[in-house]
Amino acid sequence: MEIFIVYWVAVVVLFIVGVIQLIIKSAKNQPLKPALKLIIASVILVVIGAGACALILSNLSIGH
């Protein structure tokens, strides 16, 4: 169960770092591509994680 907590914390940190980089780089007129990559990666990880959680929860209800 701890691995799920670590996974979601990592996703949140990745998203926050991406947003902070996006703000800083846009203020300095630097390329935004690295920050956008972090944000897109975090969104993909949210979708994968939510799907995995839904699959695990659906399998738990079948066993009873």
Side-chain angles (χ1 to χ4, degrees):
M1 199 63 164
E2 298 86 22
I3 191 97
F4 289 123
I5 296 169
V6 172
Y7 179 83
W8 289 113
V9 168
V11 170
V12 168
V13 169
L14 191 67
F15 181 77
I16 291 172
V17 169
V19 169
I20 290 171
Q21 277 190 4
L22 187 69
I23 293 168
I24 292 171
K25 288 180 184 275
S26 64
K28 293 182 178 181
N29 292 327
Q30 294 178 344
L32 302 176
K33 194 171 183 179
L36 292 175
K37 283 184 180 181
L38 284 177
I39 294 173
I40 291 170
S42 67
V43 169
I44 290 171
L45 289 174
V46 165
V47 171
I48 292 171
C53 285
L55 182 65
I56 289 170
L57 291 174
S58 69
N59 284 338
L60 290 177
S61 64
I62 292 173
H64 294 285

